[in-house]
Amino acid sequence: MNEQNVLAKKLPSAEQVMELIPKGVSVDALREKGFIPIEILGDKMVIAVSNAASALDAQIFATGAGKTAVVVIHPEREVAAVIRDLYDLKSGVADETLSAIESVDDLSQLARQEVMSDTVDAPVIKLVNGILLEAIKERATDIHLEPFEDGIVVRYRIDGVLHNRYELTKGHQSPVTSRIKVMAKMDIAERFIPQDGRIGISLGDRAVDIRVSSLPTQHGERIVMRILDKARGLLTLEDLGMAGEEKAKLDALIRNPHGMILLTGPTGSGKSTSLYAILQALARPEVNVITVEDPIEYDLPGVGQVHVNEKAGVTFASALRSILRQDPDIIMIGEMRDFETAHIGIQSSLTGHLVLSTLHTNDSVSAVSRLVDMGIEPYLIAGSLLGVVAQRLVRRVCPKCGEAMEAPAAMKKYGVERVYRGRGCAECGGSGYRGRFGLYEQFDVSPELADAISSGVPISELKALAAQNGMRTLLQIGVESVSSGKTTPEEMLRVVGEA
């Protein structure tokens, strides 16, 4: 007998559903059909379906289990949430998986790219899948597999900080490394030169790109994987979390028809994310936007993106020369690494193009001295540079377990009396932090500052002049974030440092 009831009660937990799934039936099959068993009532099996089209499959499923189906319709998002939890139960990195790992003879059979699956039998595949799934679940941005004399350590970078997660035996090293290299389409026979690859995986209907880098070390190949979760989407300028004053300044800066805007900061400070946010705001049908990137991290609609390939002769400089023949309005250069790239970029900004790029400097004003060190004349910098944004990412106090307390002496000297810290809870994994936000120091080049740059004044004088013109330093913005309870003194000083 088949019954349907659209007003069904709340779905049970994944643990309860797992008990109802007959042996030999995979979670993959349930996801594909869009239903889950939720209750046994005598000779009847109650099955939740996400759409009426799945009702027949649900009846067949119940018949196979020796039951009569009672079909209830639930919202698709609720059924999908339980199915995701089922994968969490079955795909985590379990101790028995680690101990049961074994070498696989035919590595070509390991190239399955669907990692959210419970039907893969080879222990090495389960292990790697579990490492990837756990990292994505914990919001990690990078996975490090670091070999040592007696084992291999798996570490996740979460909110900018590395955490040890697993210690594998030396016997795990070769099959795990080979599995990852096969997925990334790298040469598994070559172990003595650095390699780069890319993995495109799916977690159900969620696409994730992973950049893979291998580096030969004393104890074997070191693997680092950068996770680019497309489901999180690209951030907009509104999402960057800038204070109102800083955002207004940036909005005005990027609306200039020509000139150069630079973003500075260390690796991992979010420069690329900010560039993508700016490009999204600028990309319109009436303008031609072209980028040169190494590598291209996200596809930007309406933007022509060029991938640097030095082996094929496509460098930042050579690509820029070709781009200028493509009639661009806005050019984004992933990084200014040398004189040639910087010189072409500045010349482009002086000939009617808006140029965006990044530099590695400690603060915004130091970008001027960095360009001079690269061989650019000060008068060219003064004539082309619109502004520089120096940024850092700091961890945010967990909203669930954060509590106020008296400020330490290091903060009281800045006038801060109360600070907030997280005690540590399940929500933040015991760290006291959850998520990150940006601190943005903006150096806008006014006519007065342009004259100073052209005259070659020392950086210390340039900083003092910028402060007189209203520039707030990273430290000042950081202290304000501590005072408002967004982050802790220790985290702010770790990232920004003291004056």
Side-chain angles (χ1 to χ4, degrees), residues 113-135:
Q113 300 298 301
E114 168 62 67
V115 302
M116 185 181 275
S117 174
D118 66 329
T119 59
V120 183
D121 293 325
V124 65
I125 303 179
K126 287 185 177 180
L127 176 59
V128 173
N129 287 1
I131 290 172
L132 296 176
L133 280 168
E134 196 71 17

Side-chain angles (χ1 to χ4, degrees), residues 37 71 105 203 216 236 238 242 274 279 332 363 381 414 416 442:
V71 177
D105 296 328
L203 295 142
T236 64
E238 288 70 26
M242 284 185 169
S274 295
L279 287 176
M332 191 272 269
D363 57 53
I381 300 171
Y414 297 116
V416 178
Q442 295 195 57

